């Protein structure tokens, strides 16, 4: 027994202590594993909640429930009512600019959806894709067209066939930004059937030409002598109250282009558009002729003080306008006789639009009168403004011949 005691003494103590420590370590590892497994189970197998459950702060923690904002499914608001709503979509680049003096543009009320007072943070970039500029020559043009006036036109159906035309006759391309802001001014009285044909043909043409345009029918009230040039001056002034137009096309209501390549826009020089009318055998009646349909930029129009106001009845005002342009050093540009073909709706002469017997004398004195007779002497009274689906109609009192 004494021989074996030393072997059971100091030599046996070392293995026993090591085994005891190893067992304790194994128990601790098992306990830790069990604890981690329990926490993972309670978290619903969502490891992102583990720091929250063990009391460790994390920058990903969200609201009172601790869920990170990035985990919320797209398109769902989630349970947190305090979260701000998503911002509304940015306004369309094709929308009309506001009217001067804070008034809305004609098509402002026609835009879908409620208004919003949401504004983005300063310096935040816009998410709206920028639209390219429209090409100088539209790829949508078809060239020569067949123009007929033997089928009645229903304006209600016509509006449905032109869904992109906004109230008041406003339209801008939806896939590009047009550099041509065109107001088309039509002097008018008692020509409703002619107007229907004009709208039927011109709206599709103007859209294919990719213009940013508006249609203004300036209706002369009463039964006094018709004053075409004064109505055109009024249209110029009234259209600028709606939008920052830079080009003005002045068109008789009975003239329809036969080729959509005949551009209803402005050029570096005043443009005569109706150069080859069927009424004149598809040719100019004389070199100075500037009647029918013409286009002037805003600056060109202002340079000549607009059109004369003292031509009552038929004739003379277009020759006066031609003289004004020449006296201001401008020349007339025209399309060729093929592209510039136009058809006129046949009709008898209107009452109170008989030939003006004073026209030749007035034309001879354009140089003296143009500085005092025009936009700077224009007087009229607006009686009514109608925003129709395909055009804006402005009824005015132009007064009587002096």
């Amino acid at each position: 027994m004494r021989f074996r005691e030393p072997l059971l003494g100091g030599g046996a103590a070392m293995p026993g202590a090591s085994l005891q420590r190893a067992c304790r370590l194994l128990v601790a590892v098992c306990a830790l594993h069990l604890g981690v497994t329990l926490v993972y189970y309670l978290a619903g197998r969502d490891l992102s909640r583990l720091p929250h459950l063990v009391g460790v702060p994390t920058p990903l923690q969200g609201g009172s429930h601790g869920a990170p904002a990035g985990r919320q499914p797209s398109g769902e608001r989630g349970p947190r009512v305090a979260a701000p709503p998503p911002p509304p979509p940015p306004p369309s680049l094709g929308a009309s600019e506001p009217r001067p003096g804070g008034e809305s543009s004609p098509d402002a009320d026609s835009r879908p959806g409620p208004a919003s007072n949401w504004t983005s943070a300063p310096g935040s970039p816009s998410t709206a894709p920028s639209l390219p500029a429209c090409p100088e020559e539209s790829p949508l043009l078809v060239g020569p067209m067949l123009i007929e006036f033997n089928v009645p036109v229903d304006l209600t159906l016509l509006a449905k066939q032109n869904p992109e035309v906004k109230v008041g006759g406003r339209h801008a391309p939806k896939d590009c930004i047009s550099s041509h802001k065109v107001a088309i001014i039509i002097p008018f009285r008692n020509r409703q059937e002619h107007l229907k044909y004009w709208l039927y043909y011109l709206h599709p043409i103007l859209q294919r030409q990719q213009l940013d345009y508006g249609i203004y029918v300036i209706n002369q009230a009463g039964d006094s002598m018709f004053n075409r040039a004064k109505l055109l001056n009024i249209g110029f002034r009234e259209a600028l109250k709606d939008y920052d137009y830079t080009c003005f096309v002045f068109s008789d209501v009975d003239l329809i282009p036969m080729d959509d390549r005949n551009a209803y826009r402005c050029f570096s020089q005043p443009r005569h558009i109706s150069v080859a009318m069927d009424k004149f055998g598809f040719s100019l009646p004389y070199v100075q002729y500037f009647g029918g349909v013409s286009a002037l930029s805003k600056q060109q129009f202002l340079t000549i003080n607009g059109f004369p106001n003292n031509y009552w009845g038929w004739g003379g005002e277009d020759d006066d306008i031609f003289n004004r342009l020449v006296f201001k050093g401008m020349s007339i540009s025209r399309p060729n006789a093929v592209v510039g073909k136009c058809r006129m709706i046949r009709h008898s002469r209107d009452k109170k639009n008989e030939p003006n017997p004073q026209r030749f004398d007035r034309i001879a004195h354009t140089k003296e009168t143009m500085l005092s007779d025009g936009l700077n002497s224009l007087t009229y009274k607006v009686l009514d403004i109608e925003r129709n689906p395909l055009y804006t109609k402005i009824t005015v009192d132009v007064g009587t011949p002096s």
Side-chain angles (χ1 to χ4, degrees), residues 276-298:
M277 297 164 51
D278 59 349
K279 174 183 178 180
F280 300 125
F282 297 109
S283 62
L284 279 176
Y286 50 94
V287 176
Q288 298 85 3
Y289 181 66
F290 198 65
V293 186
S294 58
L296 281 79
S297 70
K298 180 180 178 181

Side-chain angles (χ1 to χ4, degrees), residues 108-155:
D109 294 337
S110 65
R111 295 178 192 141
S116 171
N117 59 0
W118 179 87
T119 55
S120 59
S124 61
S126 173
T127 58
S130 58
L131 294 176
C134 297
E136 186 64 21
E137 183 175 347
S138 172
L140 308 177
L141 303 179
V142 299
M145 304 172 299
L146 179 65
I147 305 298
E148 299 288 349
F149 306 120
N150 52 9
V151 178
V153 176
D154 184 335
L155 290 184

Side-chain angles (χ1 to χ4, degrees), residues 317-335:
E317 79 286 345
D318 48 357
D319 294 320
D320 190 299
I321 295 166
F322 178 89
N323 289 343
R324 291 176 180 232
L325 297 171
V326 172
F327 291 144
K328 287 298 183 178
M330 290 180 264
S331 58
I332 307 301
S333 66
R334 292 184 170 103

Side-chain angles (χ1 to χ4, degrees), residues 357-368:
Q358 301 175 337
R359 64 187 185 277
F360 298 111
D361 181 63
R362 295 190 184 280
I363 293 170
H365 295 89
T366 300
K367 194 170 185 177
E368 294 81 22

